[in-house]
Amino acid sequence: MTGGAIRLHQLAKAFDGVPAVTGIDLDIPGGQFYSLLGASGCGKTTTLRMIAGFEKPDSGRIELDGRDVAGDPPHKRPVNTVFQTYALFPFMSVADNVAFGLRYLKTSKDETKRRVGEALELVRMSDFAKRRPGQLSGGQQQRVALARALVLRPRVLLLDEPLGALDAKLRKQLQLELRAVQREVGITFVYVTHDQEEALTMSDQIAVMAGGRVEQIGPPEEIYSAPATTYVAGFLGAANIFDADVIESRAGSAVCTALSTTVHAAVNGVSGPGPAAIVIRPERITLLTPGDAIDPGCNVIAGTVSEVVYLGSSTQVHVDVGQPTALVVEVPNHAGPRSVIQQPGAQVQCLCTVDAVRVLTRSSTPVITDPVADSLVETGLSAPAAR
Ligand code: ATP
């Protein structure tokens, strides 16, 4: 099987006059594991459904391997979809469920048997071929749904939160399995999720979406360590985001005023002088103890410890730096529970390299910086921690 390349050009869709997707451009290379990541309601599923053909775009182009398929019905597209709900036929065996789509392709009995066997082997379900879906766990049912989609040999597999109904431990296991299956079959996977850890674990590339638009596209390492906007920085992992004023900027670096001091930071491209924001990941900050040497090339931010939170593998130290929110420093507990000696009230210096501070463009979409706020956004309530 080979992977199909997808190109979306200025794709737009509104429901009852309310925009869901507002002119997005995406270039998805064949054979990639490509994730659409974003909070609930940002337009991920609508984008996926337009690629599948279940939803008709108001405008724009959908190209599959260079051919515009926007006018083709779903069954004429070399694309298949796996949903969060497995939608297996309850009275059919696992093998018959997987074979179902092949009936309509007039596949011979022998070939059907061979292809079903291969598909079940791929998802490690060969021993369950005779069972009914009701006799399987949720994870096993989703593996069968995956086999049923792959047996048809699509060039592109669309996956809409396929692990959403599973518990956290099983999710993590299936993330790795799905990634392995994608590598083995080599076709393009377009994966919709609101779970940033899932997207980071599995993807070759991630498109972060917000408010019907694409905020940033890149490989996981780039999206996490060099976010372009306040929204992307806040959505992926823990982030210290503060207001900043860019004083001067050259290609790749900038001098800013932030946290009541001068901060040297990295920037994607060039940032014009003026209001912006900076992000520093908690694990990129070193907490200095009195007497430690300070590397002159690094940023030093002074403050007072306000809280120390022990998390097992690491300790979070909250440092009051004279801003509405504390600077959070994550200290790995290399030396066990006593790795952090500072107590609340201690004067500290926080050290971070220029590369660890990134200049961000302010997003028009509210920034989500903690999981509680994230879940509130998902349920349609307002987010108290949004900026
Ligand atoms: P989730 O993660 O919750 O599935 P999403 O990012 O996939 O969210 P979409 O399902 O694409 O978001 O929805 C985008 C917007 O379009 C939302 O505001 C949603 O309410 C709206 N929408 C989606 N489908 C329809 C529909 N059939 N009719 C009316 N509005 C819709």
Side-chain angles (χ1 to χ4, degrees), residues 80-242:
N80 218 327
T81 310
V82 175
F83 301 96
Q84 183 175 339
T85 49
Y86 325 118
L88 299 173
F89 297 111
F91 301 110
M92 280 187 192
S93 70
V94 162
D96 287 342
N97 263 285
V98 175
F100 190 78
L102 292 173
R103 287 186 194 174
Y104 297 92
L105 299 179
K106 300 197 169 65
T107 313
S108 71
K109 240 183 170 176
D110 282 352
E111 194 184 341
T112 298
K113 201 171 165 214
R114 187 175 55 78
R115 280 169 66 170
V116 168
E118 281 170 5
L120 286 176
E121 202 177 313
L122 192 64
V123 299
R124 301 193 296 115
M125 286 297 290
S126 307
D127 294 344
F128 299 85
K130 293 201 170 92
R131 288 214 195 161
R132 298 262 162 88
Q135 298 169 308
L136 302 175
S137 70
Q140 289 167 338
Q141 289 188 55
Q142 194 54 294
R143 286 201 192 103
V144 175
L146 183 65
R148 185 183 55 180
L150 289 172
V151 83
L152 299 172
R153 297 180 176 164
R155 274 185 275 154
V156 175
L157 191 67
L158 307 174
L159 302 105
D160 193 355
E161 306 250 8
L163 309 183
L166 307 175
D167 67 57
K169 204 168 166 197
L170 194 56
R171 271 180 93 118
K172 282 194 191 305
Q173 186 193 331
L174 277 174
Q175 283 166 17
L176 298 176
E177 284 184 21
L178 263 179
R179 185 66 175 118
V181 167
Q182 188 273 333
R183 285 207 174 111
E184 193 167 341
V185 295
I187 64 167
T188 314
F189 275 30
V190 184
Y191 192 92
V192 158
T193 181
H194 66 271
D195 181 335
Q196 45 102 8
E197 200 184 305
E198 193 162 281
L200 290 174
T201 307
M202 303 167 84
S203 319
D204 290 310
Q205 287 205 80
I206 301 172
V208 183
M209 294 182 66
R213 293 174 300 105
V214 174
E215 285 264 322
Q216 189 174 356
I217 299 170
E221 304 81 12
E222 190 180 302
I223 295 271
Y224 181 79
S225 66
T229 67
T230 49
Y231 182 83
V232 174
F235 196 76
L236 275 102
N240 293 294
I241 301 173
F242 294 102

Side-chain angles (χ1 to χ4, degrees), residues 13-16 18-21 38-47 49 55 160-161 192-194 209 378:
K13 175 80 185 172
F15 294 102
D16 304 323
V18 180
V21 172
S40 184
C42 72
K44 309 177 295 286
T45 297
T46 304
T47 304
R49 288 174 59 81
E55 214 70 74
D160 193 355
E161 306 250 8
V192 158
T193 181
H194 66 271
M209 294 182 66
E378 274 173 40

